Amino acid sequence: MKTLPEGVQRVAAVLLDSGHLHAPVMLDDAARTAQQAADALGVHVGQIAKSIIFRRKSDDAAVLVVTSGDQRVNEKKVEAMVCPDGKRLARADAEFVKARTGFSIGGVSPLAHATPSVTLIDRSLFRFDTVWAAAGHPHAVFQLTPQELEALTGAPVADFAVNVDEEVLARKHAIALVSLRAATLDSEPDVPSPCISVCRMNAASGLCEGCFRTRDEIAQWSGADDAAKRHIWTSIGQRMAAMQP
């Protein structure tokens, strides 16, 4: 074990103490994404138990949701479970994740966190007999069953995944509203903002689910000149077109 990275040693120790049969495995290539891990292991991407970290605004606690690699987490469902005070969750940046869990993004294990995290398990994992989770390093994974994950973490199991039909309808609605804003580009004296008051970043695409801008584009908007704003609008148009069936 001394030859393993420090984070993997912590995970291995917890697994050993719990009597778990499968020790961490070091992969030749990094598996920072669920697809990379699935490709390396030769399994379905849904069998990758990916760890999504949020920051709870009320007390700055880390909230870990373990879900299947082919699913997206519905933040509203998570908030309903862990934010009884009505305050919202925030995305956790790399510094926050490292400080709270002791692991870097791409290698966050559901176990052996540096400080206790509020942990939830998405029911989608229970479609599979065995799954693979990160073991404290981008190259490290370990095998277990969904039932063992539940037992090892003591976490509640519920449906935290995005409803695909609802997601499609929400995207169509956002595209329609932003397109109405785009139609005024040549008639308004000032370049209109594409914001439609749906301020939620999509972790997979890196785009706002309301205006289809990146974080950098949103941050730069207020200080940008008209030419720069029109350039962003061009990018938004291209992104919306790519999303259309």
Side-chain angles (χ1 to χ4, degrees):
M1 274 182 52
K2 290 183 179 179
T3 62
L4 296 173
E6 188 274 334
V8 184
Q9 290 184 40
R10 285 176 21 224
V11 174
V14 169
L15 293 175
L16 184 63
D17 289 344
S18 67
H20 188 67
L21 297 178
H22 301 285
V25 175
M26 296 298 294
L27 303 174
D28 292 335
D29 298 315
R32 295 182 183 277
T33 69
Q35 190 61 63
Q36 288 174 338
D39 291 344
L41 293 165
V43 299
H44 188 282
V45 68
Q47 289 180 261
I48 304 302
K50 65 180 179 181
S51 296
I52 308 296
I53 299 284
F54 298 95
R55 179 175 63 84
R56 188 163 61 186
K57 291 184 177 181
S58 60
D59 58 1
D60 218 33
V63 177
L64 166 67
V65 184
V66 188
T67 186
S68 285
D70 59 355
Q71 300 294 309
R72 284 185 52 229
V73 173
N74 186 322
E75 293 182 30
K76 291 182 179 179
K77 292 181 180 180
V78 179
E79 285 174 344
M81 176 74 78
V82 303
C83 300
D85 54 7
K87 292 190 177 180
R88 299 182 63 184
L89 296 173
R91 283 288 174 179
D93 60 21
E95 183 179 357
F96 178 88
V97 172
K98 182 69 173 180
R100 292 297 189 277
T101 69
F103 306 121
S104 298
I105 291 176
V108 178
S109 169
L111 310 169
H113 288 196
T115 58
S117 298
V118 179
T119 304
L120 307 171
I121 299 173
D122 181 41
R123 190 171 284 118
S124 64
L125 284 166
F126 287 76
R127 295 173 291 162
F128 304 100
D129 292 332
T130 60
V131 296
W132 294 79
H137 187 276
H139 286 256
V141 294
F142 68 99
Q143 182 182 348
L144 72 171
T145 68
Q147 292 78 12
E148 287 170 335
L149 176 64
E150 183 181 6
L152 286 166
T153 61
V157 177
D159 175 17
F160 297 108
V162 169
N163 182 294
V164 176
D165 291 336
E166 291 179 359
E167 184 180 26
V168 170
L169 288 174
R171 184 186 303 123
K172 287 182 177 179
H173 182 62
I175 289 175
L177 291 179
V178 174
S179 295
L180 287 175
R181 293 284 180 88
T184 67
L185 268 172
D186 295 326
S187 59
E188 296 289 339
D190 298 317
V191 177
S193 168
C195 180
I196 60 169
S197 299
V198 178
C199 303
R200 184 171 56 250
M201 300 304 294
N202 184 304
S205 68
L207 301 175
C208 173
E209 293 180 1
C211 66
F212 309 110
R213 288 178 293 178
T214 66
R215 288 184 186 276
D216 287 344
E217 288 169 346
I218 293 170
Q220 294 164 4
W221 183 266
S222 61
D225 58 22
D226 284 355
K229 289 179 179 179
R230 288 182 180 277
H231 178 73
I232 292 174
W233 264 112
T234 298
S235 296
I236 290 171
Q238 293 169 345
R239 292 162 188 162
M240 292 194 302
M243 293 175 187
Q244 302 281 16

